[in-house]
Amino acid sequence: MKLFDVYPILDIELNKSKGSYLFDVKGNMYLDFYGGHAVISIGHSHPYYVKSLTEQIHKISYYSNSVYISQKYKLANLLGKISGYKDYSLFICNSGTESNENALKIASFHTGKKKVIAFKGSFHGRTSGSVSVTDNYKLVSPFNAQHETIFIDYQNVDSLEEELKNKDVCALITEGIQGISGIVDPGLDFFCKVRDLCNKYDTVLIIDEVQSGYGRTGSFFSHQFYPVKPDLITIAKGMGNGFPIGGVLIHPKFKPYYGMLGTTFGGNHLACTAGIAVLEIIQKENLIENAKKMGKILLQELRLIPEIKKIRGRGLMLGVEFDFPIQDLKNILIYKEKVFIGISNNPYVLRLLPPMNINVSHIKLFLTKLKNALAYLYKKNGK
């Protein structure tokens, strides 16, 4: 049997990882400044993380949600404390797209409506509801397109009230910071306005923090830089440091009932153990403050590189824009300089999403590699 060929694959096979580094089967070492789509929050193969999962798997790795699982309650309590959302509830699932799918479902149950407002450049997942609020026609099948979604440009937020006046919108969903679009922060005015309008027209505000959450921006959630509290918050990527886990933080105004939501694997013993270990490491090693501090240093140094035209984002979630398409630069960085970085839907933007435990030496090494790659690119192009 062949694999269904839906991924563009790098010609690299990794077989080991440690801290901020990856190693391939040939023995090459790579600096990780992408974290596998922002998944690696606490660094690779953290000893406490490995120990926690190893001990748990020797006890019990899985049973269904039909039994009491104490790790679920510990994870919820710890997450509420660290995030500042103690009064919210947590529904645990397996991925970011499931988180958004369940958030949309909660909003629709609560309001009795089905129309959703999303934003140009958005990415919320690939399952039916989540992909219907994702602004990429290549991902949306005719089956997915049956959902009622209105896409609005962040720059045209004044049109939002016209859509909400009809009072037929169940939810408005936005990323805290758009990731795949090239790191786009909607900003203070946007968040204040949408919160007020959602209150005015009884519309549920969902903020997708799947990529921008879990401390990466220097705050636990990126929206916490602004005076806004969403009704539902979706999380996943950095939550398990590579172990599949996601969740929805749910305002107390939403009332659950048995059977309303469900998942076979969500909240299992091993997933919750991974989630607890990540939060304990974030707290013990002060990684949110480190992300903020290292992000400032990285930003300052990147601004000194003349080829860089614009830098967007916060903390360790940065979009670096050049005045030329970066595909060749990306390949040079990965294959020649041995550093993993990310691309975006904007062909001019590199995405930087390193683990939150990087230090100054990692930043210096990355900057050296980036400068080497730029010099090689110019030489290759005869400039």
Side-chain angles (χ1 to χ4, degrees):
M1 182 183 289
K2 295 180 180 179
L3 292 174
F4 199 54
D5 190 11
V6 293
Y7 298 114
I9 301 292
L10 296 171
D11 187 22
I12 298 169
E13 183 179 354
L14 302 172
N15 68 347
K16 187 180 175 183
S17 62
K18 186 174 182 180
S20 297
Y21 297 98
L22 299 157
F23 302 84
D24 68 18
V25 292
K26 297 176 182 177
N28 295 308
M29 182 175 78
Y30 299 78
L31 177 66
D32 188 6
F33 253 56
Y34 187 52
H37 310 302
V39 166
I40 302 300
S41 49
I42 59 171
H44 295 277
S45 304
H46 191 290
Y48 181 74
Y49 176 85
V50 173
K51 179 174 178 285
S52 297
L53 267 69
T54 302
E55 289 178 353
Q56 183 60 52
I57 204 168
H58 280 296
K59 297 174 184 175
I60 178 172
S61 60
Y62 172 82
Y63 205 73
S64 75
N65 288 299
S66 60
V67 299
Y68 181 87
I69 300 172
S70 63
Q71 290 90 337
K72 289 169 64 174
Y73 299 89
K74 184 175 180 180
L75 175 59
N77 287 330
L78 194 55
L79 178 56
K81 179 182 175 184
I82 296 174
S83 70
Y85 280 95
K86 282 184 180 181
D87 58 330
Y88 281 46
S89 299
L90 175 66
F91 175 74
I92 306 169
C93 52
N94 307 287
S95 66
T97 192
E98 284 181 64
S99 301
N100 286 321
E101 201 79 39
N102 283 290
L104 292 165
K105 191 173 182 180
I106 293 167
S108 186
F109 272 133
H110 181 75
T111 62
K113 303 168 188 175
K114 60 181 179 178
K115 190 178 289 184
V116 178
I117 291 177
F119 292 87
K120 299 286 181 67
S122 62
F123 183 90
H124 296 290
R126 294 176 183 271
T127 51
S128 191
S130 300
V131 81
S132 76
V133 292
T134 290
D135 184 26
N136 187 338
Y137 72 93
K138 292 180 180 179
L139 309 182
V140 181
S141 74
F143 170 73
N144 307 138
Q146 296 178 80
H147 297 280
E148 293 185 43
T149 305
I150 302 163
F151 288 99
I152 292 177
D153 196 302
Y154 282 139
Q155 307 305 316
N156 192 26
V157 75
D158 290 339
S159 67
L160 183 58
E161 187 161 14
E162 289 303 312
E163 298 292 348
L164 292 174
K165 277 180 180 178
N166 298 321
K167 296 188 177 181
D168 60 350
V169 175
C170 80
L172 179 150
I173 185 168
T174 177
E175 289 154 272
I177 295 177
Q178 285 189 340
I180 288 178
S181 268
I183 314 299
V184 178
D185 186 342
L188 173 63
D189 290 346
F190 170 83
F191 280 114
C192 290
K193 184 169 284 189
V194 297
R195 178 68 278 179
D196 288 345
L197 288 172
C198 285
N199 288 341
K200 183 177 179 180
Y201 293 104
D202 191 28
T203 301
V204 175
L205 175 58
I206 304 170
I207 298 188
D208 175 343
E209 293 276 9
V210 168
Q211 188 171 131
S212 55
Y214 256 70
R216 174 161 296 283
T217 60
S219 179
F220 194 87
F221 292 125
S222 64
H223 72 261
Q224 289 173 317
F225 284 102
Y226 307 117
V228 60
K229 286 191 79 171
D231 302 305
L232 300 166
I233 305 164
T234 57
I235 52 177
K237 292 188 185 298
M239 191 177 180
N241 205 56
F243 198 99
I245 185 170
V248 188
L249 278 67
I250 304 164
H251 189 281
K253 71 182 178 183
F254 299 100
K255 304 304 177 186
Y257 59 85
Y258 291 160
M260 177 184 182
L261 306 175
T263 166
T264 298
F265 300 107
N268 68 70
H269 298 78
L270 205 54
C272 289
T273 297
I276 291 164
V278 166
L279 288 173
E280 288 177 339
I281 292 165
I282 286 174
Q283 196 171 35
K284 185 177 180 181
E285 298 185 7
N286 205 18
L287 293 187
I288 297 175
E289 183 58 34
N290 189 64
K292 186 177 181 180
K293 182 180 177 183
M294 291 301 108
K296 284 182 179 178
I297 294 170
L298 180 57
L299 185 63
Q300 288 168 358
E301 293 298 322
L302 288 170
R303 283 175 174 159
L304 300 176
I305 298 175
E307 293 87 352
I308 295 172
K309 302 307 173 188
K310 190 181 292 184
I311 307 167
R312 292 186 293 273
R314 294 177 181 270
L316 295 178
M317 184 178 185
L318 298 177
V320 183
E321 185 169 336
F322 296 83
D323 62 0
F324 56 85
I326 51 81
Q327 186 63 37
D328 285 348
L329 177 62
K330 181 210 79 167
N331 289 333
I332 294 166
L333 281 165
I334 293 174
Y335 289 109
K336 189 173 188 299
E337 291 299 322
K338 303 293 188 289
V339 54
F340 278 100
I341 42 74
I343 56 174
S344 71
N345 288 341
N346 184 332
Y348 297 89
V349 176
L350 286 179
R351 275 192 296 161
L352 305 181
L353 302 160
M356 295 194 298
N357 63 346
I358 62 166
N359 58 38
V360 173
S361 67
H362 297 121
I363 290 174
K364 287 181 178 178
L365 180 59
F366 170 73
L367 292 166
T368 298
K369 289 177 177 292
L370 177 58
K371 290 171 184 175
N372 288 345
L374 286 166
Y376 181 84
L377 182 64
Y378 283 136
K379 184 179 180 181
K380 177 185 171 186
N381 294 336
K383 293 184 179 179

